[in-house]
Amino acid sequence: MQVPHNPFKASLTGDTRYGCWAGFATGYAGEILATTGFDWLLIDGEHAPNTVPTILGQLQAVAAYPCAPVVRAVSHDPALIKQLLDIGTQTLMIPMVDTAEQAAQLVAATRYPPQGFRGVGGGLTRATRWGEVEDYMTTAHEELCLIVQVESRSGVDNADAIAATPGVDAVFVGPFDLSTDIGHIGNPNHPEVQAMIRHTLDATRAAGKAAGILAPVEEDAKRYADWGFDFIAVGIDISLLRQAAKETVARYKGDK
Ligand SMILES: O=C(O)C(=O)C[C@H](O)[C@@H](O)CO
């Protein structure tokens, strides 16, 4: 058996890929989303109540569908990264990357020696399909996609070097953290934030890498698509459910 193909990595640039944030932390909800036509799903280990076993369940639940799972870790911890890769994560997103040195460390955490320092799980892991992928250790990196999040003033200042780091496949702007970091709390549309988002996009594309962003408001998502963002999360499952529930109840009970 060969290491599974990663269609998300293969299609990083080209047509804009539309995704949804998956925050319910269950395979059942993830599987529903995977059947709706989104190109990718963000299984959120940063702000949703996920653990390694709940993320595993979601990877298994969506595996049958043409909807690529992207797993976001809660930290830069190499031990956690090792576990996420071992359960079969092939597209990994890491939040709060501020420097090229951090980016290089993250790449190293995803690579076996001598390129990095990932520990060997071998036949114990879903990543190797319990040993069936015999050349996993020499081929895993080819199908692994590392996305780093730029979401602070220092990250934007260092965006060129972060994006150019070998082994970084894409940069994902976190507009809410970025706006908050620079003092425009929760206001990604402030002109200063918009200029920083545009700068990060330009730096990423100049490095030949793909750029992504979260944009749950349609007008914003369309603007970012026009700017050239390659992958955009246009929905958040929890907000979608809440909004639909509120609209439904309002139809019967009014806005009381
Ligand atoms: O800063 C951002 O924007 C993100 O990184 C996304 C948020 O963390 C997400 O949880 C939605 O608020």
Side-chain angles (χ1 to χ4, degrees), residues 6-221:
N6 182 347
F8 184 82
K9 180 171 182 170
S11 67
L12 263 178
T13 52
D15 291 345
T16 311
R17 317 288 293 167
Y18 292 101
C20 188
W21 229 250
F24 281 108
T26 74
Y28 203 75
E31 188 171 3
I32 293 170
L33 287 174
T35 62
T36 60
F38 281 112
D39 299 313
W40 58 280
L41 278 190
L42 189 284
I43 300 172
D44 193 5
E46 186 185 13
H47 289 299
N50 269 307
T51 58
V52 172
T54 65
I55 293 170
L56 168 62
Q58 288 162 85
L59 290 175
Q60 292 173 319
V62 305
Y65 304 96
C67 177
V70 176
V71 173
R72 181 163 75 161
V74 67
S75 72
H76 296 195
D77 181 1
L80 173 64
I81 290 172
K82 177 168 54 183
Q83 287 185 303
L84 293 175
L85 297 180
D86 280 353
I87 61 171
T89 299
Q90 288 190 297
T91 302
L92 181 67
M93 189 189 292
I94 306 289
M96 309 274 182
V97 177
D98 295 333
T99 65
E101 291 71 25
Q102 285 178 338
Q105 272 297 105
L106 291 166
V107 173
T110 68
R111 303 289 197 262
Y112 292 112
Q115 284 79 23
F117 56 87
R118 178 179 173 189
V120 179
L124 276 180
T125 67
R126 178 171 180 264
T128 69
R129 295 306 183 266
W130 303 279
E132 284 300 316
V133 183
E134 288 175 11
D135 61 357
Y136 180 80
M137 290 180 65
T138 52
T139 59
H141 64 281
E142 292 168 11
E143 300 298 337
L144 196 80
C145 179
L146 178 64
I147 306 169
V148 296
Q149 274 199 271
V150 163
E151 42 189 350
S152 68
R153 186 183 294 282
S154 33
V156 173
D157 288 346
N158 294 319
D160 303 75
I162 291 171
T165 303
V168 166
D169 297 292
V171 171
F172 192 93
V173 177
F176 295 101
D177 277 308
L178 176 58
S179 53
T180 301
D181 184 60
I182 68 165
H184 302 300
I185 298 176
N187 182 15
N189 285 335
H190 188 283
E192 192 185 357
V193 186
Q194 288 290 295
M196 292 170 95
I197 291 174
R198 190 102 202 215
H199 169 78
T200 306
L201 168 67
D202 292 345
T204 304
R205 299 306 297 266
K209 307 292 176 67
I213 193 163
L214 169 63
V217 175
E218 186 176 342
E219 194 186 329
D220 298 335

